[in-house]
Amino acid sequence: MSTDTTPATDAVTKTAAGTDPGAPTPNLRPDTAHSGRQWAARLAPVASLAVFIGIWYAVSYLLLTPERRFLVPPPHQVLSVAFLDWARLEPMLLALSLTAQVALAGLVIAAVLGITAAALMSRASWLERSLYPYAVVLQTVPILAIVPLIGLWFGFGFTSRVVVCVLIALFPMIANTLFGLQSVDRALHDLFTLQKASRWDRLRKLEMPAALPSVFTGLRTSSGLSVIGAIVGDMFFKQGSPGIGTLLDVYRSRLQSEELFASIILASLFGIAVFAVFTLIGRLAVGSWHASASAGER
């Protein structure tokens, strides 16, 4: 009797035994690639910071002569003169705390007004047609052009600074919240209609929860704009305790470059911190049901 096997039978036997050299190698560690992407995401900001510092040193030492190096002092000089000297760092931290109070107060007011206005506009199209153009005007009018009017109407202290923050931060809250409220799936609206839900129940139980990702997008955008508004208000309204914007103007006029760069860095770090806090709150509030909650994992 012949014992020869056909190629097809031989291939089946090898595949069943797991010895086919042509078969693809299974991925035994599917989490390896994901872990690599996570490490790359964590190292990317560090790498970009190193590149930025390298460019900073290059500008200071390669492009500027020693006589003009005060225009862009090297990073270690800013660190030693401004950050490691408590006598110079303390007034900057105190000024930053005042600016933080102004920015947060303006952001809270802008959030309340923006969400309320968007909710009202989503209830009636005639309200949207009546109010939305004025919200656009707030975004397009240069804030510096109306700062003198704000000073005349509200004085030149804390209140005027908050008003500037509100005017700058209001439009993103209105636009993003209104977009979220109007983007709810029509099938869900039909389901609430079948249940004979009231307009209040529809807003509270359907539209607002569905609009949360857009609301937090507006909050992240408005938080950065509110910090900018607080600094602008500091520069123009100088009554009372000085904010970080006031110190920026003073350091500029005195050519104190190290303190000027340190103040800019502190203001930037505060803006990043506020943005990060609202990003974290947004992920906790939205949970895992929306794609934006896992956007940072890709």
Side-chain angles (χ1 to χ4, degrees):
M1 178 181 295
S2 175
T3 59
D4 293 341
T5 58
T6 63
T9 305
D10 187 54
V12 171
T13 304
K14 290 180 178 181
T15 303
T19 59
D20 186 5
T25 303
N27 186 5
L28 300 179
R29 296 294 302 274
D31 60 332
T32 303
H34 180 68
S35 177
R37 289 195 298 268
Q38 283 187 330
W39 275 107
R42 293 170 183 172
L43 292 177
V46 178
S48 61
L49 177 62
V51 171
F52 173 75
I53 293 177
I55 295 174
W56 188 350
Y57 270 112
V59 172
S60 296
Y61 286 103
L62 300 180
L63 298 183
L64 297 176
T65 61
E67 295 79 13
R68 302 179 67 245
R69 194 162 294 155
F70 71 94
L71 295 174
V72 184
H76 68 272
Q77 189 171 327
V78 174
L79 179 65
S80 60
V81 172
F83 285 109
L84 298 183
D85 186 351
W86 179 249
R88 299 184 181 185
L89 180 62
E90 183 180 17
M92 286 188 279
L93 293 178
L94 293 175
L96 182 63
S97 66
L98 176 64
T99 301
Q101 296 174 31
V102 173
L104 293 178
L107 179 61
V108 170
I109 296 173
V112 172
L113 292 178
I115 294 174
T116 303
L120 291 175
M121 284 187 281
S122 70
R123 297 299 88 195
S125 58
W126 67 270
L127 274 176
E128 181 181 356
R129 291 193 298 268
S130 301
L131 299 179
Y132 198 80
Y134 295 101
V136 175
V137 168
L138 288 178
Q139 183 71 8
T140 56
V141 172
I143 192 64
L144 296 180
I146 61 175
V147 161
L149 288 177
I150 296 174
L152 290 175
W153 293 340
F154 300 99
F156 295 89
F158 185 88
T159 303
S160 293
R161 303 179 192 185
V162 173
V163 170
V164 172
C165 294
V166 172
L167 293 179
I168 291 181
L170 183 58
F171 179 76
M173 288 304 310
I174 295 176
N176 283 279
T177 304
L178 184 61
F179 172 79
L181 292 173
Q182 294 177 341
S183 300
V184 181
D185 191 350
R186 178 55 55 185
L188 295 177
H189 274 294
D190 293 340
L191 179 61
F192 270 67
T193 301
L194 290 175
Q195 297 296 326
K196 298 181 180 180
S198 65
R199 295 170 66 88
W200 166 247
D201 286 337
R202 190 185 299 264
L203 175 65
R204 182 171 58 92
K205 297 180 179 180
L206 173 62
E207 294 175 346
M208 284 305 300
L212 276 180
S214 296
V215 171
F216 279 100
T217 299
L219 279 172
R220 290 195 296 270
T221 305
S222 295
S223 63
L225 293 175
S226 184
V227 174
I228 295 173
I231 295 175
V232 171
D234 290 339
M235 290 182 173
F236 282 88
F237 307 123
K238 299 180 180 179
Q239 289 185 2
S241 301
I244 197 71
T246 306
L247 291 188
L248 285 171
D249 198 31
V250 171
Y251 294 148
R252 176 197 57 81
S253 63
R254 297 178 181 176
L255 296 180
Q256 294 177 267
S257 300
E258 292 83 3
E259 290 87 345
L260 180 61
F261 273 76
S263 299
I264 294 173
I265 292 172
L266 285 176
S268 300
L269 291 177
F270 172 69
I272 293 172
V274 173
F275 182 89
V277 166
F278 281 105
T279 299
L280 177 60
I281 295 175
R283 288 182 179 177
L284 294 176
V286 171
S288 60
W289 60 269
H290 194 267
S292 62
S294 58
E297 299 177 0
R298 294 195 297 267

Short mmCIF file of all heavy atoms in Angstrom, two decimals, residues 106-107 109-111 113-115 117-118 121 128 131-141 163-179 214-215 217-219 221-223 225-226:
data_model
loop_
_atom_site.label_atom_id
_atom_site.label_comp_id
_atom_site.label_asym_id
_atom_site.label_seq_id
_atom_site.Cartn_x
_atom_site.Cartn_y
_atom_site.Cartn_z
N GLY A 106 -14.36 85.46 36.34
CA GLY A 106 -14.88 85.72 35.01
C GLY A 106 -15.32 84.47 34.30
O GLY A 106 -16.34 84.45 33.59
N LEU A 107 -14.57 83.37 34.49
CA LEU A 107 -14.93 82.11 33.84
C LEU A 107 -16.24 81.56 34.39
O LEU A 107 -17.09 81.07 33.62
CB LEU A 107 -13.81 81.09 34.04
CG LEU A 107 -14.04 79.71 33.42
CD1 LEU A 107 -14.21 79.81 31.91
CD2 LEU A 107 -12.88 78.78 33.77
N ILE A 109 -18.75 83.24 35.77
CA ILE A 109 -19.85 84.07 35.29
C ILE A 109 -20.13 83.80 33.81
O ILE A 109 -21.28 83.69 33.38
CB ILE A 109 -19.53 85.56 35.53
CG1 ILE A 109 -19.43 85.85 37.03
CG2 ILE A 109 -20.59 86.45 34.89
CD1 ILE A 109 -18.97 87.25 37.36
N ALA A 110 -19.06 83.70 33.01
CA ALA A 110 -19.24 83.43 31.57
C ALA A 110 -19.89 82.07 31.35
O ALA A 110 -20.73 81.91 30.46
CB ALA A 110 -17.89 83.50 30.86
N ALA A 111 -19.51 81.07 32.18
CA ALA A 111 -20.10 79.73 32.03
C ALA A 111 -21.60 79.75 32.35
O ALA A 111 -22.41 79.18 31.62
CB ALA A 111 -19.37 78.74 32.93
N LEU A 113 -23.69 82.38 32.36
CA LEU A 113 -24.41 83.16 31.35
C LEU A 113 -24.47 82.43 30.01
O LEU A 113 -25.50 82.42 29.33
CB LEU A 113 -23.74 84.53 31.17
CG LEU A 113 -23.83 85.50 32.35
CD1 LEU A 113 -23.08 86.79 32.02
CD2 LEU A 113 -25.28 85.81 32.70
N GLY A 114 -23.35 81.82 29.61
CA GLY A 114 -23.30 81.14 28.32
C GLY A 114 -24.22 79.94 28.26
O GLY A 114 -24.96 79.75 27.28
N ILE A 115 -24.21 79.10 29.30
CA ILE A 115 -25.07 77.91 29.31
C ILE A 115 -26.54 78.32 29.37
O ILE A 115 -27.39 77.74 28.68
CB ILE A 115 -24.69 77.00 30.48
CG1 ILE A 115 -23.28 76.43 30.27
CG2 ILE A 115 -25.70 75.88 30.65
CD1 ILE A 115 -22.76 75.64 31.45
N ALA A 117 -27.88 81.20 28.31
CA ALA A 117 -28.28 81.79 27.04
C ALA A 117 -28.46 80.72 25.96
O ALA A 117 -29.41 80.76 25.17
CB ALA A 117 -27.24 82.81 26.59
N ALA A 118 -27.56 79.73 25.94
CA ALA A 118 -27.68 78.66 24.95
C ALA A 118 -28.93 77.83 25.19
O ALA A 118 -29.61 77.43 24.23
CB ALA A 118 -26.43 77.78 25.00
N MET A 121 -31.85 79.84 23.89
CA MET A 121 -31.88 79.90 22.44
C MET A 121 -32.28 78.56 21.83
O MET A 121 -32.88 78.51 20.75
CB MET A 121 -30.51 80.34 21.90
CG MET A 121 -30.25 81.82 22.06
SD MET A 121 -28.74 82.38 21.23
CE MET A 121 -27.51 81.87 22.41
N GLU A 128 -32.86 82.51 19.32
CA GLU A 128 -31.54 82.32 18.71
C GLU A 128 -31.26 83.38 17.66
O GLU A 128 -30.17 83.95 17.61
CB GLU A 128 -31.45 80.92 18.09
CG GLU A 128 -30.10 80.63 17.47
CD GLU A 128 -30.03 79.25 16.84
OE1 GLU A 128 -31.02 78.50 16.97
OE2 GLU A 128 -29.01 78.93 16.21
N LEU A 131 -30.61 86.74 19.66
CA LEU A 131 -29.49 86.88 20.58
C LEU A 131 -28.14 86.48 20.01
O LEU A 131 -27.11 87.05 20.37
CB LEU A 131 -29.75 86.06 21.86
CG LEU A 131 -30.98 86.45 22.68
CD1 LEU A 131 -31.12 85.53 23.88
CD2 LEU A 131 -30.90 87.90 23.12
N TYR A 132 -28.14 85.47 19.13
CA TYR A 132 -26.86 84.95 18.66
C TYR A 132 -26.01 85.98 17.92
O TYR A 132 -24.78 86.00 18.08
CB TYR A 132 -27.09 83.72 17.78
CG TYR A 132 -25.85 82.87 17.62
CD1 TYR A 132 -25.46 81.97 18.62
CD2 TYR A 132 -25.05 82.96 16.48
CE1 TYR A 132 -24.33 81.19 18.48
CE2 TYR A 132 -23.93 82.19 16.34
CZ TYR A 132 -23.57 81.30 17.34
OH TYR A 132 -22.44 80.53 17.21
N PRO A 133 -26.59 86.85 17.09
CA PRO A 133 -25.74 87.86 16.44
C PRO A 133 -25.00 88.75 17.42
O PRO A 133 -23.85 89.15 17.16
CB PRO A 133 -26.75 88.67 15.61
CG PRO A 133 -27.86 87.72 15.34
CD PRO A 133 -27.98 86.90 16.59
N TYR A 134 -25.61 89.06 18.56
CA TYR A 134 -24.91 89.89 19.55
C TYR A 134 -23.80 89.12 20.23
O TYR A 134 -22.78 89.71 20.64
CB TYR A 134 -25.91 90.42 20.57
CG TYR A 134 -26.94 91.35 19.96
CD1 TYR A 134 -28.22 90.90 19.66
CD2 TYR A 134 -26.61 92.67 19.68
CE1 TYR A 134 -29.15 91.74 19.09
CE2 TYR A 134 -27.54 93.52 19.11
CZ TYR A 134 -28.81 93.06 18.81
OH TYR A 134 -29.73 93.90 18.23
N ALA A 135 -23.98 87.81 20.37
CA ALA A 135 -22.88 87.00 20.89
C ALA A 135 -21.70 87.00 19.93
O ALA A 135 -20.53 87.05 20.35
CB ALA A 135 -23.36 85.56 21.14
N VAL A 136 -21.99 86.97 18.63
CA VAL A 136 -20.92 87.05 17.63
C VAL A 136 -20.23 88.40 17.69
O VAL A 136 -19.00 88.50 17.54
CB VAL A 136 -21.50 86.79 16.22
CG1 VAL A 136 -20.42 86.98 15.15
CG2 VAL A 136 -22.08 85.38 16.15
N VAL A 137 -21.00 89.45 17.93
CA VAL A 137 -20.40 90.79 18.04
C VAL A 137 -19.41 90.84 19.19
O VAL A 137 -18.33 91.44 19.08
CB VAL A 137 -21.50 91.86 18.22
CG1 VAL A 137 -20.91 93.20 18.61
CG2 VAL A 137 -22.30 92.00 16.92
N LEU A 138 -19.75 90.21 20.32
CA LEU A 138 -18.81 90.18 21.45
C LEU A 138 -17.49 89.53 21.07
O LEU A 138 -16.44 89.91 21.58
CB LEU A 138 -19.44 89.41 22.63
CG LEU A 138 -20.56 90.09 23.39
CD1 LEU A 138 -21.07 89.16 24.48
CD2 LEU A 138 -20.07 91.40 24.01
N GLN A 139 -17.54 88.54 20.17
CA GLN A 139 -16.34 87.84 19.77
C GLN A 139 -15.52 88.64 18.77
O GLN A 139 -14.30 88.50 18.72
CB GLN A 139 -16.71 86.48 19.17
CG GLN A 139 -15.54 85.60 18.78
CD GLN A 139 -14.80 85.05 19.98
OE1 GLN A 139 -15.24 85.22 21.11
NE2 GLN A 139 -13.67 84.41 19.74
N THR A 140 -16.18 89.44 17.95
CA THR A 140 -15.48 90.11 16.85
C THR A 140 -14.98 91.50 17.22
O THR A 140 -14.00 91.97 16.62
CB THR A 140 -16.41 90.22 15.63
OG1 THR A 140 -17.62 90.89 16.00
CG2 THR A 140 -16.76 88.84 15.09
N VAL A 141 -15.63 92.17 18.17
CA VAL A 141 -15.17 93.50 18.55
C VAL A 141 -13.86 93.38 19.33
O VAL A 141 -13.78 92.62 20.29
CB VAL A 141 -16.23 94.22 19.42
CG1 VAL A 141 -15.68 95.51 19.98
CG2 VAL A 141 -17.47 94.50 18.59
N VAL A 163 -15.11 91.86 34.22
CA VAL A 163 -15.96 92.12 33.05
C VAL A 163 -15.21 91.81 31.76
O VAL A 163 -15.76 91.22 30.82
CB VAL A 163 -16.45 93.58 33.07
CG1 VAL A 163 -17.12 93.94 31.74
CG2 VAL A 163 -17.42 93.81 34.22
N VAL A 164 -13.93 92.18 31.70
CA VAL A 164 -13.13 91.86 30.51
C VAL A 164 -13.05 90.36 30.30
O VAL A 164 -13.20 89.86 29.17
CB VAL A 164 -11.71 92.48 30.64
CG1 VAL A 164 -10.81 92.00 29.52
CG2 VAL A 164 -11.79 94.00 30.63
N CYS A 165 -12.84 89.61 31.36
CA CYS A 165 -12.78 88.14 31.25
C CYS A 165 -14.11 87.58 30.74
O CYS A 165 -14.12 86.68 29.89
CB CYS A 165 -12.45 87.53 32.61
SG CYS A 165 -10.80 87.90 33.22
N VAL A 166 -15.21 88.10 31.27
CA VAL A 166 -16.53 87.60 30.85
C VAL A 166 -16.75 87.87 29.36
O VAL A 166 -17.21 86.98 28.62
CB VAL A 166 -17.63 88.25 31.69
CG1 VAL A 166 -19.01 87.88 31.14
CG2 VAL A 166 -17.52 87.82 33.14
N LEU A 167 -16.42 89.05 28.90
CA LEU A 167 -16.64 89.40 27.50
C LEU A 167 -15.81 88.53 26.57
O LEU A 167 -16.26 88.14 25.48
CB LEU A 167 -16.32 90.88 27.26
CG LEU A 167 -17.24 91.89 27.94
CD1 LEU A 167 -16.78 93.31 27.64
CD2 LEU A 167 -18.69 91.69 27.49
N ILE A 168 -14.60 88.20 26.98
CA ILE A 168 -13.74 87.37 26.13
C ILE A 168 -14.17 85.91 26.16
O ILE A 168 -14.13 85.21 25.14
CB ILE A 168 -12.26 87.52 26.58
CG1 ILE A 168 -11.76 88.93 26.26
CG2 ILE A 168 -11.37 86.49 25.89
CD1 ILE A 168 -10.31 89.15 26.65
N ALA A 169 -14.59 85.42 27.31
CA ALA A 169 -14.85 83.99 27.49
C ALA A 169 -16.30 83.59 27.20
O ALA A 169 -16.60 82.39 27.17
CB ALA A 169 -14.50 83.56 28.92
N LEU A 170 -17.19 84.54 26.96
CA LEU A 170 -18.61 84.22 26.86
C LEU A 170 -18.98 83.49 25.57
O LEU A 170 -19.72 82.50 25.59
CB LEU A 170 -19.43 85.50 26.99
CG LEU A 170 -20.96 85.34 26.99
CD1 LEU A 170 -21.40 84.43 28.12
CD2 LEU A 170 -21.64 86.70 27.11
N PHE A 171 -18.46 83.96 24.44
CA PHE A 171 -18.89 83.40 23.16
C PHE A 171 -18.59 81.91 23.02
O PHE A 171 -19.47 81.16 22.55
CB PHE A 171 -18.27 84.18 21.99
CG PHE A 171 -18.67 83.64 20.65
CD1 PHE A 171 -19.93 83.90 20.13
CD2 PHE A 171 -17.80 82.85 19.91
CE1 PHE A 171 -20.31 83.39 18.90
CE2 PHE A 171 -18.18 82.34 18.68
CZ PHE A 171 -19.43 82.61 18.17
N PRO A 172 -17.40 81.40 23.37
CA PRO A 172 -17.19 79.94 23.24
C PRO A 172 -18.16 79.12 24.06
O PRO A 172 -18.56 78.03 23.64
CB PRO A 172 -15.75 79.76 23.74
CG PRO A 172 -15.10 81.07 23.51
CD PRO A 172 -16.16 82.09 23.77
N MET A 173 -18.58 79.63 25.23
CA MET A 173 -19.55 78.90 26.03
C MET A 173 -20.91 78.85 25.33
O MET A 173 -21.56 77.80 25.28
CB MET A 173 -19.70 79.56 27.41
CG MET A 173 -18.53 79.36 28.33
SD MET A 173 -18.11 77.63 28.63
CE MET A 173 -19.69 76.92 29.05
N ILE A 174 -21.34 79.97 24.77
CA ILE A 174 -22.62 79.99 24.06
C ILE A 174 -22.58 79.09 22.84
O ILE A 174 -23.46 78.25 22.62
CB ILE A 174 -22.99 81.43 23.67
CG1 ILE A 174 -23.23 82.30 24.92
CG2 ILE A 174 -24.23 81.44 22.78
CD1 ILE A 174 -23.51 83.75 24.61
N ALA A 175 -21.54 79.24 22.02
CA ALA A 175 -21.48 78.52 20.75
C ALA A 175 -21.38 77.01 20.97
O ALA A 175 -22.10 76.23 20.31
CB ALA A 175 -20.29 79.03 19.93
N ASN A 176 -20.51 76.58 21.86
CA ASN A 176 -20.33 75.14 22.06
C ASN A 176 -21.55 74.50 22.74
O ASN A 176 -21.96 73.39 22.37
CB ASN A 176 -19.07 74.89 22.89
CG ASN A 176 -17.80 75.04 22.09
OD1 ASN A 176 -17.38 74.15 21.37
ND2 ASN A 176 -17.19 76.21 22.21
N THR A 177 -22.12 75.19 23.73
CA THR A 177 -23.29 74.63 24.40
C THR A 177 -24.48 74.55 23.46
O THR A 177 -25.20 73.53 23.43
CB THR A 177 -23.66 75.48 25.63
OG1 THR A 177 -22.53 75.57 26.51
CG2 THR A 177 -24.82 74.86 26.38
N LEU A 178 -24.69 75.59 22.67
CA LEU A 178 -25.81 75.58 21.72
C LEU A 178 -25.62 74.47 20.68
O LEU A 178 -26.58 73.78 20.32
CB LEU A 178 -25.92 76.94 21.04
CG LEU A 178 -27.10 77.12 20.08
CD1 LEU A 178 -28.43 76.95 20.81
CD2 LEU A 178 -27.04 78.49 19.40
N PHE A 179 -24.39 74.28 20.22
CA PHE A 179 -24.11 73.20 19.27
C PHE A 179 -24.44 71.84 19.88
O PHE A 179 -25.04 70.97 19.24
CB PHE A 179 -22.65 73.26 18.84
CG PHE A 179 -22.22 72.07 18.01
CD1 PHE A 179 -22.55 72.00 16.67
CD2 PHE A 179 -21.50 71.04 18.58
CE1 PHE A 179 -22.16 70.90 15.91
CE2 PHE A 179 -21.11 69.94 17.83
CZ PHE A 179 -21.44 69.88 16.48
N SER A 214 -19.70 68.95 24.57
CA SER A 214 -19.56 70.28 23.97
C SER A 214 -19.42 71.36 25.03
O SER A 214 -18.67 72.34 24.85
CB SER A 214 -20.77 70.57 23.08
OG SER A 214 -20.84 69.68 22.00
N VAL A 215 -20.12 71.21 26.14
CA VAL A 215 -20.01 72.19 27.23
C VAL A 215 -18.59 72.24 27.77
O VAL A 215 -18.03 73.32 27.98
CB VAL A 215 -21.02 71.86 28.35
CG1 VAL A 215 -20.76 72.74 29.57
CG2 VAL A 215 -22.45 72.04 27.87
N THR A 217 -15.91 71.30 26.19
CA THR A 217 -15.06 71.89 25.16
C THR A 217 -15.08 73.41 25.25
O THR A 217 -14.04 74.08 25.15
CB THR A 217 -15.52 71.43 23.76
OG1 THR A 217 -15.41 70.01 23.67
CG2 THR A 217 -14.67 72.08 22.68
N GLY A 218 -16.27 73.97 25.44
CA GLY A 218 -16.37 75.41 25.64
C GLY A 218 -15.66 75.87 26.89
O GLY A 218 -15.02 76.94 26.89
N LEU A 219 -15.74 75.10 27.97
CA LEU A 219 -15.06 75.47 29.20
C LEU A 219 -13.54 75.47 29.02
O LEU A 219 -12.85 76.37 29.53
CB LEU A 219 -15.45 74.51 30.32
CG LEU A 219 -16.79 74.78 31.01
CD1 LEU A 219 -17.14 73.63 31.95
CD2 LEU A 219 -16.74 76.10 31.79
N THR A 221 -11.91 75.98 26.25
CA THR A 221 -11.56 77.13 25.42
C THR A 221 -11.68 78.43 26.22
O THR A 221 -10.79 79.30 26.19
CB THR A 221 -12.45 77.18 24.19
OG1 THR A 221 -12.36 75.95 23.47
CG2 THR A 221 -12.05 78.33 23.27
N SER A 222 -12.77 78.57 26.94
CA SER A 222 -13.02 79.80 27.69
C SER A 222 -12.04 79.96 28.85
O SER A 222 -11.74 81.10 29.24
CB SER A 222 -14.45 79.81 28.23
OG SER A 222 -15.39 79.84 27.18
N SER A 223 -11.54 78.86 29.41
CA SER A 223 -10.60 78.99 30.52
C SER A 223 -9.32 79.69 30.07
O SER A 223 -8.80 80.56 30.78
CB SER A 223 -10.28 77.61 31.09
OG SER A 223 -9.63 76.79 30.13
N LEU A 225 -9.05 81.71 27.44
CA LEU A 225 -9.40 83.09 27.11
C LEU A 225 -9.60 83.94 28.36
O LEU A 225 -9.29 85.14 28.37
CB LEU A 225 -10.66 83.11 26.26
CG LEU A 225 -10.53 82.49 24.86
CD1 LEU A 225 -11.89 82.46 24.16
CD2 LEU A 225 -9.52 83.26 24.02
N SER A 226 -10.12 83.32 29.42
CA SER A 226 -10.33 84.06 30.66
C SER A 226 -9.00 84.49 31.27
O SER A 226 -8.88 85.60 31.81
CB SER A 226 -11.13 83.22 31.64
OG SER A 226 -11.42 83.94 32.81
#
